[in-house]
């Protein structure tokens, strides 16, 4: 079916990016199917997003589950090859920088099926991050590079990408945030967790923070020093849970570790927070739109627009407690800039580019 668009998703951050693109393509009457690779599979990492974001039930779930990078990527590739051969789509759409993204781009490009990459061109220039490898390979193989910010356009240009393939479309994850804004209830979140208005939300899952026991121990020390200043709620990603627990994460009375939250509950909690401490990519963007100070526990970010046009700053573990003290003393700003085209219409722009490509 040359007009069929196949979306490949698999991990938590893919779902809020795909939802507005699928909706906008449906409005244009483009036939489409949704593949879930099964990279993430816990109810709280996957199903809850389908329910809350109105995503269609996946047409196929490959159920690949967890594994080493090679095992997981290979399983996704093997499963997708069969599907791409039987469906023969006119376009495969991939999202972000996870293993499901690069696996789909590799399989589709070798079958000469055009690939559209949503969130193209982001670069941390840190090759120790698996995501950076995934971004570089996916962009090199993609026919449509759909970028969320001007810095991404510049990176693709510097890499010699054909300018005709590159489109600045804005941020579909922000479409989802804006479409659901009325559901993010900070008062209810405070009541649910018995919080006043001086609390911090944290998320932690990057290998560089949680995989090595020495890093985990240093992280726990820093988080406990933050919890000495304000209550922390930490919906903990399954990666690194055991390491962080072994390093004593749960041993502070003001640091509440909870299971991952659904999208609406999570962003309700974030909306009311005095600050967010995170190593997530998507959360840097969402806090920027919500005006919540974001302290990113990483040496770099592939999303510098959240620093230049948002509320984000990079912090080290050592500096974190002092910076939290400053942020708590300063309070939240009344006004802040937001990046260009993060306006709720990225999905429609992406759909228009894809539909135009399908028409030839
Ligand atoms: C993946 C992405 C990362 C993204 C993150 C978003 C890659 C290389 N990494 O990292 O870029 O920021 O998703 O959340 O694709 N696990 C569960 N239940 C699940 C899923 C995972 O328990 O539903 C546990 C398993 O022990 C698994 C570990 O988490 O081994 C890591 O999962 P994986 O998908 O390999 O990588 P993430 O760290 O989630
Ligand atoms: N998120 C969520 N519940 C949580 C933590 C995060 O719904 O407990 C959402 C968050 O709002 C964002 C997405 O998950 O939309 C980000 O995913 P994650 O941090 O896992 O991945 P990254 O963006 O770092 O790749």
């Amino acid at each position: 079916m040359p007009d069929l668009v196949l979306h490949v998703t698999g991990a938590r951050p893919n779902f809020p990016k795909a939802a507005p693109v699928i909706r906008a393509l449906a409005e244009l009457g483009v036939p489409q199917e949704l593949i879930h690779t099964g990279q993430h599979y816990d109810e709280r990492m996957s199903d809850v997003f389908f329910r809350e974001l109105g995503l269609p039930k996946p047409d196929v779930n490959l159920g690949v589950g967890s594994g080493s990078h090679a095992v997981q990527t290979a399983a996704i590739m093997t499963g997708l090859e069969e599907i791409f051969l039987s469906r023969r789509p006119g376009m495969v759409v991939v999202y972000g920088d996870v293993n499901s993204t690069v696996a789909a781009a590799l399989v589709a490009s070798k079958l000469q099926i055009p690939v559209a990459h949503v969130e193209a061109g982001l670069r941390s220039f840190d090759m120790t991050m698996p995501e950076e490898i995934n971004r570089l390979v996916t962009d090199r193989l993609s026919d449509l590079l759909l970028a969320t910010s001007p810095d991404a356009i510049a990176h693709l240009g510097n890499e010699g990408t054909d300018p005709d393939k590159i489109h600045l479309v804005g941020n579909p994850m922000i479409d989802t945030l804006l479409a659901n804004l009325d559901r993010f209830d900070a008062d209810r979140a405070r009541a649910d967790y018995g919080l006043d208005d001086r609390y911090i939300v944290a998320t932690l899952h990057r290998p560089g923070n949680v995989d090595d026991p020495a890093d985990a121990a240093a992280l726990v020390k820093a988080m406990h020093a933050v919890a000495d200043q304000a209550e922390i709620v930490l919906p903990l990603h399954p990666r690194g849970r055991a390491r962080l627990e072994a390093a004593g994460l749960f041993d502070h009375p003001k640091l509440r570790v909870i299971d991952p939250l659904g999208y609406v509950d999570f962003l309700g909690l974030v909306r009311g927070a005095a600050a967010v401490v995170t190593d997530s990519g998507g959360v840097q963007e969402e806090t920027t739109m919500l005006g919540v100070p974001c302290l990113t526990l990483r040496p770099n970010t592939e999303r510098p627009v959240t620093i230049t046009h948002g509320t984000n700053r990079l912090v080290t573990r050592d500096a974190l407690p002092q910076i939290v003290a400053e942020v708590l003393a300063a309070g939240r700003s009344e006004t802040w800039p937001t990046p260009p085209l993060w306006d709720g219409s990225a999905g429609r722009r992406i759909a228009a580019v894809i539909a135009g490509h399908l028409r030839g």
Side-chain angles (χ1 to χ4, degrees):
M1 263 213 284
D3 288 341
L4 177 69
V5 171
L6 276 191
H7 303 268
V8 178
T9 60
R12 176 166 74 180
N14 293 158
F15 309 129
K17 296 169 193 175
V21 179
I22 293 172
R23 196 168 308 119
L25 281 168
E27 280 166 15
L28 297 180
V30 174
Q32 42 184 344
E33 289 187 16
L34 174 58
I35 314 296
H36 190 322
T37 64
Q39 176 173 347
H40 285 175
Y41 43 85
D42 289 347
E43 205 274 336
R44 298 273 188 121
M45 300 294 288
S46 173
D47 287 5
V48 66
F49 292 86
F50 283 76
R51 281 200 308 279
E52 292 189 345
L53 303 183
L55 275 159
K57 187 175 168 337
D59 295 277
V60 179
N61 188 326
L62 298 176
V64 298
S66 304
S68 69
H69 283 274
V71 165
Q72 186 177 64
T73 308
I76 299 169
M77 288 178 69
T78 308
L80 288 179
E81 187 174 55
E82 205 175 300
I83 292 165
F84 292 175
L85 282 171
S86 67
R87 306 288 205 284
R88 279 278 161 201
M91 171 82 64
V92 166
V93 187
V94 299
Y95 297 87
D97 55 18
V98 302
N99 283 347
S100 299
T101 312
V102 72
L106 275 163
V107 175
S109 58
K110 290 198 176 182
L111 294 173
Q112 295 176 30
I113 299 167
V115 177
H117 183 202
V118 173
E119 204 182 87
L122 296 186
R123 297 288 180 267
S124 67
F125 301 99
D126 177 353
M127 291 298 280
T128 67
M129 289 182 75
E131 294 84 0
E132 185 71 357
I133 298 168
N134 294 346
R135 291 180 201 116
L136 284 164
V137 174
T138 304
D139 284 341
R140 189 69 187 83
L141 300 177
S142 293
D143 300 270
L144 291 179
L145 295 128
L146 303 159
T148 53
S149 55
D151 54 290
I153 304 284
H155 297 322
L156 293 167
N158 292 341
E159 290 166 12
T161 310
D162 176 356
D164 290 344
K165 295 180 174 178
I166 307 171
H167 302 266
L168 181 62
V169 290
N171 191 331
M173 193 174 222
I174 298 307
D175 289 15
T176 298
L177 178 126
L178 294 175
N180 288 284
L181 207 50
D182 291 348
R183 300 166 77 194
F184 305 150
D185 189 340
D187 291 335
R188 208 195 67 215
R190 283 197 193 101
D192 284 352
Y193 295 97
L195 300 162
D196 58 24
D197 60 0
R198 205 168 164 278
Y199 70 93
I200 289 169
V201 175
T203 78
L204 299 165
H205 72 275
R206 289 283 155 211
N209 278 328
V210 305
D211 279 10
D212 176 70
D215 288 326
L219 181 61
V220 166
K221 190 166 161 245
M223 293 305 291
H224 283 184
V226 173
D228 289 339
Q229 305 176 53
E231 189 120 17
I232 305 177
V233 182
L234 198 174
L236 188 55
H237 189 288
R239 183 191 196 97
R241 187 180 175 101
R243 285 255 154 72
L244 292 171
E245 187 170 4
L249 181 70
F250 297 27
D251 303 341
H252 193 293
K254 286 173 69 187
L255 198 169
R256 214 169 323 167
V257 180
I258 59 175
D259 284 338
L261 287 172
Y263 180 79
V264 172
D265 284 347
F266 177 70
L267 285 166
L269 201 55
V270 167
R271 189 178 204 176
V276 166
V277 175
T278 192
D279 55 13
S280 160
V283 174
Q284 293 173 56
E285 298 180 340
E286 292 163 337
T287 45
T288 272
M289 291 307 288
L290 294 172
V292 179
C294 181
L295 306 178
T296 297
L297 272 172
R298 284 179 42 188
N300 51 56
T301 179
E302 62 289 333
R303 292 164 161 88
V305 75
T306 59
I307 299 175
T308 55
H309 289 70
T311 58
N312 191 20
R313 61 200 274 194
L314 301 180
V315 297
T316 62
R317 289 186 293 246
D318 286 348
L320 179 69
Q322 176 58 33
I323 292 176
V324 166
E326 288 163 21
V327 168
L328 290 175
R332 281 170 53 164
S333 300
E334 293 292 317
T335 56
W336 64 95
T338 54
L341 297 185
W342 289 21
D343 59 359
S345 295
R348 280 193 285 279
R349 289 186 204 102
I350 292 168
V353 173
I354 291 173
H357 193 274
L358 288 172
R359 282 194 302 269

